[in-house]
Amino acid sequence: MSWVTGVDSGHPYGVHNLPYGAVSEGGGDPRLVVRVGDLGLDLAAACERLLPDLAPLVAGPVLNPLLAAPAPTWRRLRAALVEWLTDESVRPVVEPLLTPLAEARTHLPFAVGDYVDFYASEHHASAVGRIFRPDSPPLPENWKHLPIGYHGRSGTVVVSGTPVARPSGQRRLSGGAIEVGPSRRLDIEAEVGFVLGAGTRLGEPVALADAAEHVFGVCLVNDWSARDLQAWEYVPLGPFLGKSFATSVSPWVVPLDAFDGARTAPPPRDVALASYLDDAAQPPWGLDIALEVELNGTVVSRPPFPAMYWTAAQMLAHMTVNGASIRPGDLFASGTVSGPEPDQAGSLLELSRGGRSPIELAGGVTRSFLEDGDRVVIRGRVPAAPGRPELALGEVAGVVVAALQ
Ligand SMILES: O=C(O)/C=C/C(=O)CC(=O)CC(=O)O
Ligand SMILES: [Ca+2]
Ligand SMILES: [Mg+2]
């Protein structure tokens, strides 16, 4: 148990969590911290005093030098952090380096390299297939053979709290006319993101068994999506401007090792998998994360991450099977997390059945898609279970503002 006041062994930000972030105070420069309770430990100052050989990796303002190090270095730092925050004898050195996070501003804690978004929920993929392609089977033929994904726009990944301007673009009206203007079907996608480190060389795939050597940590993602732009532009090359205008991520990157007690078996596979994706003999890579989507103060959905068909390890193995290299700071997202129940969908497109059944919010207000001024908050946690305290992932929030043009 930690000596930090108020951080008992059941605290969701206890020493079993210790997520990394970047904060600034009073207009100062961002610095890297590790979160314990509601406090941030200054990583550079702590390492300078107690682990000097790692200090250059956490000098800030981003985690990328640490991400570039091999996974055993990440584990060494994490073990040291646990020791510093639990061992009374180091307390006089560490305690002065803790500051309250309440007044701090959070920043994107890593420079995003490449960004990939997958489509790993069978429930989401089938539901969207029915809405976008009513005359075709809900799932495309390839869906159970490989985790489908697309490369997104890393430069528009923003930290939670950044306002999101309504995107503009082309759409096709029901009569066939083409119109340009602000999106009328702006949506969210509740997703889980994976931050990569320990880069690879061109031509070097990452095997399923090695995934934990490259997945540094986990965050929450809101893949804002303009459904009218998307539906018109996506054939035949896939998502483009309907999803590239902003992608929000939570400010805290929870180390993969914090999920050791939260692994779940993925759903049974009903198609034989190619050997590079066959995870039958691997430790389970499902994660027991419960999401919650709140729109203007009303919880509208509770998407369950264990329902995802494809795991992060499979996504990484597939992303690199062609020999594509990874770089420290690369980010991939799971795709919309939707469960089997109607109130477990991770997008308004599903919750409002393609816009036909608006959802009800507090105060008699209804929504099919987002209006200017709407505020969306996606929260994530691993619930407490016997022998396992709750693990908080925090939240990713954003307010929609009017189109700039
Ligand atoms: O089925 C389609 O045509 C597209 C669906 C999506 O919205 C793609 C996407 O972002 C993947 C996901 O989040 O699951
Ligand atoms: Ca998405
Ligand atoms: Mg996006």
Side-chain angles (χ1 to χ4, degrees), residues 115 117 156-158 160 164 186-193 219-225 227 243 245-250 293-294 331 333 336 346-347 370 375-378 395-400:
Y115 166 53
D117 186 25
T156 57
V157 174
V158 295
S160 175
V164 172
L186 182 57
D187 198 356
I188 56 149
E189 288 188 333
E191 308 196 13
V192 173
C219 62
L220 302 174
V221 176
N222 184 351
D223 177 24
W224 305 90
S225 299
R227 300 301 180 190
K243 285 170 177 284
F245 55 95
T247 304
S248 302
V249 297
S250 56
V293 181
E294 188 186 283
L331 170 69
T336 312
S347 71
L370 297 171
R375 180 167 197 265
V376 178
V377 184
I378 300 167
E395 62 179 44
V396 55
V399 173
V400 177

Side-chain angles (χ1 to χ4, degrees), residues 166 296 371-375 399-402:
R166 179 177 300 274
N296 296 342
E371 298 191 2
D372 293 349
D374 283 354
R375 180 167 197 265
V399 173
V400 177
V401 299

Side-chain angles (χ1 to χ4, degrees), residues 14 34 59 76 86 92 117 162 199 234 250 266 288 335 357-358 375 380 387 391 404:
V34 68
R76 219 180 115 218
T86 50
D117 186 25
T162 308
Y234 86 101
S250 56
D288 196 11
S357 321
R375 180 167 197 265
L391 178 77
L404 301 174

Side-chain angles (χ1 to χ4, degrees), residues 73-146:
T73 303
W74 311 341
R75 295 185 189 119
R76 219 180 115 218
L77 175 59
R78 181 167 168 79
L81 289 165
V82 172
E83 188 198 314
W84 300 343
L85 292 163
T86 50
D87 185 344
E88 278 285 347
S89 70
V90 218
R91 181 171 179 172
V93 181
V94 175
E95 200 161 27
L97 307 177
L98 289 168
T99 48
L101 293 169
E103 300 298 311
R105 181 172 160 211
T106 51
H107 302 264
L108 203 55
F110 56 104
V112 186
D114 288 303
Y115 166 53
V116 166
D117 186 25
F118 282 94
Y119 191 39
S121 160
E122 181 174 2
H123 307 289
H124 171 73
S126 316
V128 174
R130 281 189 203 98
I131 293 167
F132 277 4
R133 296 171 287 277
D135 301 325
S136 303
L139 285 183
E141 189 191 347
N142 57 0
W143 201 91
K144 291 210 167 168
H145 292 273
L146 51 84

Side-chain angles (χ1 to χ4, degrees), residues 8-358:
D8 59 22
S9 54
H11 196 293
Y13 288 104
V15 288
H16 60 297
N17 192 337
L18 301 182
Y20 296 98
V23 301
S24 64
E25 287 99 355
D29 291 333
R31 58 196 176 88
L32 294 175
V33 294
V34 68
R35 177 169 180 170
V36 57
D38 296 320
L39 303 173
L41 172 65
D42 189 301
L43 265 175
C47 284
E48 275 159 22
R49 287 161 181 73
L50 296 164
L51 202 58
D53 66 311
L54 297 195
L57 304 186
V58 293
V62 287
L63 288 165
N64 293 57
L66 177 63
L67 299 176
T73 303
W74 311 341
R75 295 185 189 119
R76 219 180 115 218
L77 175 59
R78 181 167 168 79
L81 289 165
V82 172
E83 188 198 314
W84 300 343
L85 292 163
T86 50
D87 185 344
E88 278 285 347
S89 70
V90 218
R91 181 171 179 172
V93 181
V94 175
E95 200 161 27
L97 307 177
L98 289 168
T99 48
L101 293 169
E103 300 298 311
R105 181 172 160 211
T106 51
H107 302 264
L108 203 55
F110 56 104
V112 186
D114 288 303
Y115 166 53
V116 166
D117 186 25
F118 282 94
Y119 191 39
S121 160
E122 181 174 2
H123 307 289
H124 171 73
S126 316
V128 174
R130 281 189 203 98
I131 293 167
F132 277 4
R133 296 171 287 277
D135 301 325
S136 303
L139 285 183
E141 189 191 347
N142 57 0
W143 201 91
K144 291 210 167 168
H145 292 273
L146 51 84
I148 296 177
Y150 66 95
H151 282 90
R153 192 167 186 87
S154 53
T156 57
V157 174
V158 295
V159 75
S160 175
T162 308
V164 172
R166 179 177 300 274
S168 290
Q170 271 195 30
R171 74 179 134 257
R172 181 186 180 280
L173 303 181
S174 49
I178 309 305
E179 187 181 78
V180 180
S183 171
R184 290 187 194 153
R185 286 162 77 89
L186 182 57
D187 198 356
I188 56 149
E189 288 188 333
E191 308 196 13
V192 173
F194 298 87
V195 180
L196 295 176
T200 55
R201 289 167 301 154
L202 274 176
E204 187 189 344
V206 177
L208 282 178
D210 296 332
E213 305 306 302
H214 298 277
V215 176
F216 175 83
V218 179
C219 62
L220 302 174
V221 176
N222 184 351
D223 177 24
W224 305 90
S225 299
R227 300 301 180 190
D228 40 0
L229 277 54
Q230 178 186 354
W232 171 228
E233 73 177 1
Y234 86 101
V235 180
L237 291 186
F240 190 43
L241 304 180
K243 285 170 177 284
S244 66
F245 55 95
T247 304
S248 302
V249 297
S250 56
W252 299 107
V253 180
V254 178
L256 182 69
D257 288 348
F259 293 87
D260 279 353
R263 298 297 189 107
T264 59
R269 280 69 173 75
D270 28 43
V271 166
L273 293 176
S275 59
Y276 78 94
L277 291 172
D278 187 352
D279 58 355
Q282 298 292 326
W285 259 89
L287 301 176
D288 196 11
I289 299 171
L291 298 181
E292 180 180 280
V293 181
E294 188 186 283
L295 171 54
N296 296 342
T298 301
V299 173
V300 295
S301 177
R302 292 193 161 83
F305 194 68
M308 300 299 272
Y309 191 86
W310 296 105
T311 68
Q314 289 171 319
M315 295 182 224
L316 180 55
H318 186 60
M319 212 166 87
T320 57
V321 68
N322 64 348
S325 49
I326 59 172
R327 292 181 296 176
D330 284 359
L331 170 69
F332 69 92
S334 61
T336 312
V337 182
S338 294
E341 305 301 328
D343 59 354
Q344 294 180 329
S347 71
L348 299 176
L349 180 73
E350 293 158 88
L351 292 169
S352 72
R353 297 170 208 276
R356 281 178 283 112
S357 321

